[in-house]
Amino acid sequence: MRKGLSLLFWTFLVSTMLAPSVFAAKDYRMVITNEVAVTHWKTGLMKDLAKLIEKRSEGRIDVKLYSGGQLFTDKAAIKSIGTGAVHMVWPASVNLEPLRLEYGVVNLPFAINDELVLNKPQFRKELLSLLSNILNKEGINVMGLLRADELAFVFKDYRPKTVADMRGLKVRVIGGQVLLDWVGELGVTPISMPASEFTTALSQGVIDGIQTTSGGWARMIGELGEYGIVVPDLLVLTYSILLDSNWFRSIPEDLQKVVVDSVDDIASKQWQYSIEQSEKDYEKITGQFKSKVFRVPQDQVPVWSEKVQVTYERFAEKFPEVYKKYVDLNKNSDRIWPPKK
């Protein structure tokens, strides 16, 4: 009996010496939350990220994911960062303007395009640094940007093809003060209303159109949207990956790298996936719904750009430092922004 106990003791002792990390490692709890359904692609990506972080950290980071608003809405989660109740959330970037209005730099017209994000890694790195500097005062790091989709205008009875055709139309907008500001310069009357109400409002003629994405059109508006217009690069809507900066600083450097690398891997793949998904959505819109989608020819885009020039001037007057930094980081990527008149 004693020999058996002795053998167990020495086996335990040797195994402890050979694998000290198993017993000495400190666990760090990481709470990620969202307000979307479990079937939404954001939930799927969050699950992938959680698995990646747990695997690469060898279990030292224990990730808990709460979906469907069961813990917080995105807005409530943003406010709760720093309390320890939540460490990561991925809200729509337009919803971060109430926190810091200058964050709306990513919601300015022609601010981001797919080529920049996919082919200019330095641009993406400098942009995340700029956005993090804006939110650091709130205890938040911006770890990445996800592509929601390219902006589209969808109508039931109207078929605009030029910026002049947009004048006077009542359009439900996605939100965000910066976006509201420049949409009005296109001549439309921006209307704010919850997503749950806009299809009814469109069918009853309360509004003339809806500002949305290919996904919103394919899944929510459907055949009700008979016509749509897309201005290339006018606005690529994004989600921001936010992380509690205090929690991030509290974990060891090797685990910080795990989080950074894992988020970067997920975000970089998602951007291309979003582009491909958008193409599938438009196939459904034009095929199954028989709707008409008009993409403004490239040579006509400057006409739209000229209409929103005053928006840049207003933003630059309010936030000169952020504006200059964004102009410079575009220049560093061999891009002239804002577009010339």
Side-chain angles (χ1 to χ4, degrees):
M1 181 68 175
R2 287 186 178 180
K3 286 184 178 181
L5 289 173
S6 178
L7 180 61
L8 287 172
F9 172 79
W10 284 108
T11 301
F12 174 82
L13 183 61
V14 171
S15 65
T16 303
M17 294 172 65
L18 290 176
S21 62
V22 175
F23 298 90
K26 181 179 179 181
D27 288 335
Y28 296 87
R29 184 168 175 264
M30 181 180 186
V31 176
I32 305 177
T33 181
N34 68 45
E35 63 184 17
V36 298
V38 293
T39 55
H40 194 281
W41 63 262
K42 273 208 300 182
T43 298
L45 275 189
M46 284 181 170
K47 288 180 179 178
D48 292 343
L49 178 63
K51 291 177 182 177
L52 201 56
I53 289 175
E54 289 186 339
K55 179 180 179 181
R56 289 178 173 178
S57 70
E58 298 179 335
R60 294 168 64 192
I61 299 179
D62 180 26
V63 185
K64 300 295 184 186
L65 171 60
Y66 298 90
S67 301
Q70 59 181 304
L71 186 61
F72 291 113
T73 63
D74 285 355
K75 290 182 179 179
I78 294 168
K79 293 179 181 179
S80 298
I81 285 181
T83 66
V86 61
H87 303 110
M88 178 177 279
V89 61
W90 302 359
S93 296
V94 293
N95 290 335
L96 291 168
E97 290 178 23
L99 198 61
R100 290 279 172 176
L101 187 55
E102 58 265 48
Y103 199 88
V105 67
V106 294
N107 303 319
L108 286 168
F110 303 99
I112 300 174
N113 63 43
D114 295 328
E115 181 182 357
L116 271 175
V117 176
L118 291 174
N119 301 325
K120 301 282 186 177
Q122 187 61 28
F123 171 85
R124 186 170 67 248
K125 181 179 179 181
E126 291 181 10
L127 176 57
L128 293 179
S129 176
L130 173 61
L131 296 177
S132 278
N133 287 337
I134 292 172
L135 295 188
N136 275 163
K137 294 178 182 178
E138 308 297 330
I140 296 172
N141 285 356
V142 181
M143 308 299 291
L145 285 180
L146 301 174
R147 186 184 189 274
D149 202 355
E150 193 172 23
L151 187 71
F153 294 90
V154 180
F155 301 89
K156 178 177 179 289
D157 299 314
Y158 296 87
R159 195 175 184 179
K161 291 188 175 181
T162 68
V163 69
D165 295 339
M166 301 285 285
R167 180 170 296 278
L169 297 178
K170 300 187 294 295
V171 177
R172 183 268 181 183
V173 297
I174 290 173
Q177 187 57 50
V178 171
L179 191 149
L180 279 168
D181 181 49
W182 64 257
V183 168
E185 296 300 329
L186 297 178
V188 305
T189 301
I191 307 294
S192 181
M193 67 172 59
S196 58
E197 299 176 9
F198 63 58
T199 52
T200 300
L202 182 64
S203 66
Q204 295 178 349
V206 176
I207 55 175
D208 300 311
I210 297 170
Q211 192 182 61
T212 187
T213 63
S214 64
W217 190 350
R219 294 169 184 77
M220 298 179 68
I221 302 171
E223 296 177 345
L224 183 62
E226 296 186 23
Y227 308 107
I229 182 170
V230 177
V231 183
D233 298 332
L234 178 60
L235 182 65
V236 176
L237 293 159
T238 61
Y239 294 100
S240 295
I241 300 178
L242 307 184
L243 184 67
D244 183 332
S245 58
N246 290 328
W247 178 85
F248 184 69
R249 287 194 297 268
S250 75
I251 64 177
E253 288 187 7
D254 63 321
L255 294 186
Q256 290 180 8
K257 188 175 187 306
V258 164
V259 173
V260 170
D261 291 348
S262 298
V263 169
D264 192 55
D265 286 350
I266 291 292
S268 60
K269 294 175 183 177
Q270 185 277 337
W271 203 276
Q272 182 60 46
Y273 167 82
S274 173
I275 294 172
E276 295 169 359
Q277 184 59 51
S278 180
E279 292 173 354
K280 292 178 182 178
D281 287 336
Y282 277 120
E283 287 177 4
K284 180 178 182 179
I285 290 164
T286 58
Q288 181 179 330
F289 300 157
K290 308 298 182 185
S291 300
K292 307 297 182 183
V293 181
F294 179 74
R295 181 168 283 269
V296 173
Q298 200 65 47
D299 63 351
Q300 292 299 309
V301 172
V303 179
W304 295 74
S305 174
E306 186 176 353
K307 283 288 184 180
V308 297
Q309 286 295 320
V310 67
T311 303
Y312 303 124
E313 297 167 10
R314 286 197 288 258
F315 190 91
E317 185 178 351
K318 290 181 181 178
F319 310 109
E321 185 178 352
V322 170
Y323 186 79
K324 183 180 184 305
K325 286 181 178 179
Y326 195 62
V327 170
D328 289 344
L329 74 85
N330 275 275
K331 186 177 180 180
N332 293 340
S333 295
D334 302 318
R335 182 194 188 212
I336 298 175
W337 186 92
K340 296 296 183 181
K341 293 183 180 180

